[in-house]
Amino acid sequence: MAMAMAIRVSLLFFLLLSSSLLVFSLYEDQAGLTDWHQQYLGKVKQAVFHTPKAGRKRLVVSTEESAIASLDLRRGEIFWRHVLGDNDRIDHIDIALGKYVITLSSKGSIIRAWNLPDGQMVWESSLVGKNPSESSLLTVIDLKVERDNVILVYSSGCLHAISSVDGAVLWNMELESVELKRLIKPVDGEVVYAVGFSGSSKLHSYGINIKTGELLKQDVVDFPGGFSGEISLVSREILVALDARRTLLVIISLIDGKISFEKTDIHDLVPQFSGRADMLPVNLEGMFALKCSSYMVFLRVNGQSKLEIVDKIEASAAVSDALAFEEDQLAFGIVKQGGNNIHLTVKLGHDYSSDILKESIQIDPTRGLVQKVFINTYIRTDRSYGFRALVVMEDHSLSLLQQGNIVWSREDGLASIVDVTTSELPLEKKGVSVAKVEEGLLEWLKGHMLKLKGTLMLASPEDMVAIQELRLKSSEKSKLTRDHNGFRKLLIVLTKAGKVYALHTGDGRVVWSTFMPNLRKSEACEYPVALNLYQWQVPHHHALDENPAVLVVGRCGNGIDAPGIFSIVDTYSGKELNSLSLTHSVVDVIPLPFTDSTEKRLHLVVDENRNLHLYPKTSEAAAIFEHEFSNVYWYSVDAENNMLRGHTLKRNCMSEVADEFCFSSRDLWSIVFPSESEKIIATVAKKSSEVVHTQAKVMSDRSVLYKYIAKNILFVATVAPKGAGEIGSVTPDESWLVVYLIDTVTGRILHRVTHQGSQGPVRAVFSENWVVYHYFNLRANRYEMSVIEIYDQSRADNKNIWKLILGKHNLSSPVSSYSRPEVMTKSQTYFFTHSVKSISVTLTAKGITSKQLLIGTIGDQVLALDKRFLDPRRSPAPTATELEDGIIPLTDTLPINLQAYATHALKVEGLRGIVSVPSKLESTTLMFAYGADLFFTHLAPSKTYDSLTDEFSYALLLLTIFALVAGIFVTWIMSERKELRDKWR
């Protein structure tokens, strides 16, 4: 009795202490401890230097990812940046009045001015024309009138003059059927000349008063051979073009608006010339450049309109535009590559033979060739002129070269990720001495001395930098070994340039990078395209002697009939283990759930003829695949013809050369949607790697529903043909959305629902037995999210206890598409306040943890929404039993809690994809979002129920244990004494 009382007192004391521990471990803010966020730009298209004598020196760039940014010229850091989006591509940039960045975007229809210091938008104007055109020109002309600059813009068949102060359109001029190619700035006077084509053979010249827009002069000349559409400006009076066949050079003289021309055969100038020439898009005063097959030719136009060859260099070189510096002299830069070095040469425009600057800089060979170069000048300490060069590399990285060194580099290729997969890190080796880990005893002692100096506040700034590097190196989260929770992994990413990076999940640093040789532009493959990444080898039993590897898939050409490219890359070192140039195309890659003895995963590659090719091409893989030959099914979506097809294997391919790894296919079923009423706009399938913990779902009334968890279900969304355009382009009566759940083995339609008055785009995610999709309701003028859950009614008889006892239940029987099970669906629809870019779902190791929807919003943030909010069982007044089961009362709108944003207050600009990766800890999943930015974090949808947080106080826990032991001992002695006193009474 006394002992029991002592234990109760001790338990009460323990609860009082541990409650404080739970509060701190549960509510302590974790933001930023496991997150990292990186900002990138993409491949630079245009660059403008802004280097005033006083103030910050800047570099303004526009990129292929629709980004405009201002960079610190000294360090390459981003001062400010705007990502305009895929629908607002930037065409041109310039600087006006020395304080505004001018951007022309959306095919020349939108012009904006941004404040140069802080990036705030100053004004915006829309330019309207009658003839939509892909081409657009922007020229800033300093009139020196009322401190204003006039901006001339040609777009959509109209020439506009715009004030750089407020964006007001001063005048515009329609040019019917004429596509302008060049605007020639006036040196003296107020007349600007515009030159363009109508059709392929007529050349037009216009003389226009800049202030009034009055047409002063006009001339048109017909050239019988036709033009290729490119014009190079040599001087204010001389232009050069190519004929339609690209074998003749046409010298165009423009004197007082009058056109005359002379033609010259390129073969007469360059005897080695063959094929077709291309005009390089660079502005060189007095010269122009041609690309002829494998070399580049510089030509000068003399006063008598005669051509002479100045130089001939290899075609892999890059040339900058001309730059004006001291006393109106012009210079331009040429970058050549040889081995691991790039050679920068700066030449005078009027004297090509003299080199102002000649430097050789060592560069990482994995960056590829130089694609573009921009030069800028600065004043050295001896008052002479120096030059710096900004180079854009083949892997989309950006580097600044100055005085023979690389001042800074940016890995901006990471802004164009096309696919992501993961790899485990190697196991931590045991028995390694501390001295060896620290690369010698001396380094180990040096590190500890630095840490001691930092503790005593005696460290210099250089010491602090070294201490920070040591901390980063020794940090648990940045180790290059596997951890027991599975938080440390490698994110293997493939970029549009064809480069593969391995990013550490701890801090986001680049562990290694490899530029795939067969995904680089070459004579053998002029237009390589990077497609996808797949797990190739994931060792388990061979973890100590085999490294994991990934399969990089590409295509040599833009069409689906282009031959495929394979590369196999070691994920620990980035070394390319093997590469293949396929003889067939790659339309789809199907990873099979089979591995060989070395744990290489089998893959089927589908070509444009619907033949399938087995990889790896080994006899062991063929033997494994032969056993599963009859169980392989797949589907294809032909959105253009509004059709779905199901396929299976037939036999080996019938070809001239026998190929035991090639198989033909046959169609099992097809679904053709009526083109007059439906158009396919979205298809989503379940991830094959997803783990489902249980197929039974207990309802609030204690009944059981069984999830229909077949992996071969496809979600298909179709819309009325009129409603396939932008939102609001049709009335509610003209548009409807139809959603299907289709079994891809049999072609059976399991469920169909129609949303009248609704429109796409549709974003969806399929997980376990439910699908959530997002669309626009035209009648309510709001976005909606719907959920469909599908259940297997054929397993409902499992509630019979005698069948369970006798073993006649079918809970363990496989789910077969041919058994035609009876299915039941539950669905519900909610309003949602945001437009959505993408939807994903959290994945955990065992599938026990509650699900969260990862919603990429139009604001480029990721919202983690609990799946319980999209439970179709929600009702306005749930019963007590339903509330006990966690059913949330029904509301018409899904709530958005600001604390539910996984990205916190940060943005992932240009968000394109969200990936969830399970960790070994069941409660936690890893989330990676990518676009122009990269963001990584840990998520715990059901809280960290199976682990303690990093802030857990182990000292307080030990103190609590000691206090409990002492309390039990003291209370036990007190109770014994009390019992003895009671007996003496």
Side-chain angles (χ1 to χ4, degrees), residues 266 268-271 297-300 307-312:
I266 300 177
D268 294 339
L269 295 169
V270 187
V297 180
F298 291 89
L299 299 103
R300 186 186 302 280
L307 295 172
E308 60 174 322
I309 296 179
V310 177
D311 196 5
K312 185 171 67 172

Side-chain angles (χ1 to χ4, degrees), residues 536-557:
W536 178 256
Q537 187 175 23
V538 185
H540 178 65
H541 302 293
H542 304 274
L544 297 178
D545 53 11
E546 294 282 350
N547 290 352
V550 293
L551 174 65
V552 183
V553 180
R555 183 187 295 144
C556 186

Side-chain angles (χ1 to χ4, degrees), residues 20-236:
S20 61
L21 292 175
L22 291 174
V23 168
F24 282 108
S25 64
L26 183 63
Y27 295 108
E28 184 71 20
D29 188 7
Q30 300 290 321
L33 297 179
T34 57
D35 308 340
W36 48 263
H37 179 235
Q38 298 174 355
Q39 294 181 320
Y40 296 101
L41 302 173
K43 185 178 182 181
V44 170
K45 294 196 302 182
Q46 288 180 286
V48 181
F49 290 88
H50 181 69
T51 55
K53 293 182 179 179
R56 289 180 172 177
K57 292 177 171 53
R58 299 172 181 267
L59 173 66
V60 180
V61 297
S62 67
T63 72
E64 291 183 355
E65 300 302 316
S66 301
I68 175 76
S70 173
L71 305 180
D72 181 359
L73 194 57
R74 299 182 185 276
R75 298 181 179 85
E77 298 171 350
I78 298 175
F79 281 138
W80 55 262
R81 180 195 58 169
H82 299 288
V83 181
L84 302 184
D86 293 337
N87 298 326
D88 196 8
R89 295 284 182 183
I90 299 174
D91 303 309
H92 295 277
I93 63 170
D94 210 330
I95 293 180
L97 299 176
K99 61 180 181 180
Y100 293 155
V101 177
I102 308 298
T103 61
L104 185 65
S105 60
S106 295
K107 299 178 182 179
S109 62
I110 299 177
I111 184 168
R112 300 180 179 93
W114 312 87
N115 195 30
L116 183 57
D118 57 12
Q120 295 295 318
M121 189 169 68
V122 180
W123 51 259
E124 176 184 272
S125 294
S126 296
L127 307 179
V128 180
K130 293 184 178 180
N131 303 315
S133 173
E134 288 287 340
S135 67
S136 56
L137 294 174
L138 181 147
T139 301
V140 177
I141 298 178
D142 187 1
L143 279 183
K144 298 180 180 178
V145 176
E146 297 179 358
R147 298 182 180 179
D148 195 0
N149 285 8
V150 173
I151 303 170
L152 295 181
V153 177
Y154 168 75
S155 65
S156 302
C158 189
L159 183 64
H160 307 265
I162 300 164
S163 168
S164 61
V165 173
D166 55 9
V169 178
L170 304 177
W171 54 262
N172 55 49
M173 175 187 294
E174 291 187 8
L175 303 173
E176 295 183 3
S177 304
V178 177
E179 184 176 342
L180 290 189
K181 291 295 183 180
R182 285 291 177 181
L183 292 169
I184 304 173
K185 300 179 183 180
V187 177
D188 297 314
E190 300 174 354
V191 180
V192 62
Y193 287 98
V195 180
F197 297 119
S198 63
S200 61
S201 61
K202 289 188 177 182
L203 181 66
H204 294 255
S205 170
Y206 300 94
I208 305 166
N209 186 296
I210 301 177
K211 289 187 176 180
T212 63
E214 179 185 358
L215 181 61
L216 303 177
K217 301 173 184 179
Q218 182 177 2
D219 192 16
V220 59
V221 175
D222 190 12
F223 181 69
F227 295 98
S228 64
E230 303 166 355
I231 290 183
S232 181
L233 182 64
V234 178
S235 67
R236 293 189 64 253

Side-chain angles (χ1 to χ4, degrees), residues 731-744:
T731 64
D733 295 331
E734 295 175 321
S735 184
W736 53 85
L737 179 70
V738 187
V739 167
Y740 299 86
L741 296 181
I742 299 175
D743 190 303
T744 58

Side-chain angles (χ1 to χ4, degrees), residues 940-977:
S942 299
K943 307 299 182 185
T944 52
Y945 57 84
D946 55 355
S947 64
L948 298 174
T949 64
D950 294 336
E951 286 74 26
F952 184 81
S953 178
Y954 291 95
L956 189 56
L957 177 61
L958 291 174
L959 180 62
T960 303
I961 293 173
F962 287 131
L964 283 173
V965 173
I968 291 173
F969 183 73
V970 171
T971 53
W972 178 73
I973 293 176
M974 292 175 62
S975 63
E976 287 291 327
R977 288 180 179 179

